Amino acid sequence: MTILCPIDFSVATEALVTYSAALAAGTGGELRLLHVLEPQPVPASEMGADAELKQRLQFYQDAATAAGASVTTAIAWGNAAQEIVEEARRYPADIIVIGAHGQTGLTRFLMGSTAETVVRTATCVTLLVKPGCPNKYRQSA
């Protein structure tokens, strides 16, 4: 089983990676962590951010590996929802485990919802993890 887990380094990322790693370890599957950089003007002071990005990805890869998961990472550039769906096709995923930030109403209307778009357009199963889910996950015997 291949599990694609898009991460955005928000406060929900740790719980999302913990959940995905437990799923991968429990099924003997491979976990692929994906971070998407959306196009935006980059100030000269942020040109060295690549090293920081790789370090942050490595932190979550190490955490998932410590939980018993086989883990790979990837970085994509473009529209987050489109890149997540494309990555699931390029690197065939059986399931996408994605976090929901809980936006509602006007904020969701104005900004859109990456998770909602992924759920609607992905060709594989998509598991939406809401904020506030427990950090510890029980493994079945």
Side-chain angles (χ1 to χ4, degrees), residues 52-136:
E52 181 184 341
L53 175 61
K54 290 177 183 176
Q55 184 178 13
R56 292 174 87 182
L57 270 174
Q58 187 66 49
F59 172 81
Y60 289 109
Q61 182 176 11
D62 292 346
T65 300
S70 171
V71 187
T72 60
T73 63
I75 299 171
W77 291 264
N79 174 275
Q82 290 174 351
E83 291 301 321
I84 292 164
V85 171
E86 283 304 311
E87 183 72 10
R89 288 185 187 130
R90 279 190 301 265
Y91 194 89
D94 297 297
I95 184 170
I96 299 171
V97 178
I98 189 168
H101 292 286
Q103 294 176 345
T104 58
L106 184 59
T107 303
R108 185 167 158 210
F109 174 75
L110 294 173
M111 296 179 64
S113 169
T114 298
E116 179 185 9
T117 302
V118 170
V119 168
R120 282 189 294 106
T121 59
T123 57
C124 63
V125 173
T126 306
L127 176 63
L128 190 62
V129 178
K130 291 183 176 184
C133 288
N135 287 331
K136 300 290 180 191

Side-chain angles (χ1 to χ4, degrees), residues 1-3 16-32 61-71 95 97 137-140:
M1 170 186 277
T2 301
I3 302 160
L16 184 62
V17 171
T18 300
Y19 184 89
S20 299
L23 182 61
T27 62
E30 180 183 346
L31 175 59
R32 185 160 179 86
Q61 182 176 11
D62 292 346
T65 300
S70 171
V71 187
I95 184 170
V97 178
Y137 299 96
R138 182 175 58 98
Q139 290 183 328
S140 335

